[in-house]
Structure formats: structure tokens, C-alpha cells
Amino acid sequence: MSTNTDANCIFCKVINGQIPSQKLSDDEHSIAISDLNPQAPVHILIMPKMHVASIAALDSPELTGHLFQKAKKLATELKLEKGFRIVVNTGDDGGQTVHHLHIHLLGGRAFGWPPG
Ligand code: 5GP
Ligand code: ZN
């Protein structure tokens, strides 16, 4: 699997340690970190180590599956039995602000629908 990085990308800097983070998981293909500006009692970002801009730019079913399985595993470990929300903001209309693919795992409170 590619280990592409982008020197100007905030999350690539988190991955290579240039920007400090609170890591919950670190494996060959991904890391999970606490969000800097949490929107719920649990707010974790799961991201691939390789730089890929968004889910729209990711072609690998294996990496897609790995990231979602990781999110689910963390939800189990954090005992989010009452439920949780997984969000993948994509592109401008999707509200994506950091252009390195990441899954938001949110939990610890009830969420409304539809989203804003
Ligand atoms: P997006 O809007 O792209 O879906 O989400 C980006 C998320 O990254 C936001 O929730 C924001 O709080 C978080 N974030 C931005 N910069 C940093 C950072 O340097 N460290 C961490 N841990 N989270 C960050
Ligand atoms: Zn990146």
C-alpha cells in the first residue's frame, strides 16, 4: 500500500508526529486520534496513513473496509452500546475542512437528524 504524504497537509503532519495528537490507535495503515474540537463526549478521527484527499479519491476497498472496521472496533472498545455516529464529510458541500480522508466517530450523546 502506498505511503504517500503531502508536506502541506495537517493530518500528514499529525501522522508523522510534526503536530502532536492524542492517539487511540496506531497500526500499519491507519491512526485514530481525538478531535481537537470535539462535538460530542466521544469524538475520534480515524484516518489512513497514506495521504488521500477524501473518500471520493479512494479506490481501495481494502483500505475503506479497514477504516470502517477500525471505527467499529473503537466504538466497541469505548462501550458505545447505545449507538454512535460515523460521518465522512466529503468536499465543499459535505463540509470537509481537512482534505485528508478521515472518519468521524461520534458518541456519548444522542444525535439529531437531518444533519445541518
Ligand atoms: P472535517 O470538517 O474535515 O470533516 O473535519 C476536520 C476535523 O479535524 C474537525 O473536526 C477539526 O476539529 C479537526 N482538526 C483540525 N485540525 C486538527 C488537529 O491539528 N488535530 C486534531 N486532533 N484535530 C484537528
Ligand atoms: Zn495528508
Side-chain angles (χ1 to χ4, degrees):
M1 201 170 282
S2 166
T3 52
N4 288 349
T5 63
D6 177 338
N8 298 314
C9 169
I10 291 173
F11 286 169
C12 283
K13 289 181 185 172
V14 168
I15 288 156
N16 72 23
Q18 270 180 273
I19 294 177
S21 66
Q22 196 190 333
K23 252 182 229 166
L24 289 101
S25 155
D26 185 348
D27 66 30
E28 189 184 348
H29 301 302
S30 68
I31 62 166
I33 61 170
S34 298
D35 196 290
L36 203 57
N37 182 25
Q39 302 301 314
V42 172
H43 189 170
I44 296 168
L45 304 173
I46 300 101
M47 64 188 73
K49 285 188 170 174
M50 66 177 255
H51 179 84
V52 55
S54 75
I55 194 70
L58 181 61
D59 292 328
S60 164
E62 291 81 11
L63 185 54
T64 306
H66 173 86
L67 295 170
F68 274 86
Q69 288 295 322
K70 202 82 202 178
K72 186 192 73 169
K73 189 164 179 277
L74 285 162
T76 304
E77 285 170 9
L78 293 166
K79 305 192 189 317
L80 300 177
E81 291 112 345
K82 287 180 76 181
F84 53 87
R85 185 165 291 181
I86 282 173
V87 174
V88 187
N89 295 326
T90 305
D92 289 342
D93 277 4
Q96 185 177 6
T97 58
V98 178
H99 296 278
H100 179 128
L101 169 63
H102 51 282
I103 296 177
H104 295 258
L105 171 64
L106 297 142
R109 68 171 173 86
F111 299 100
W113 192 265

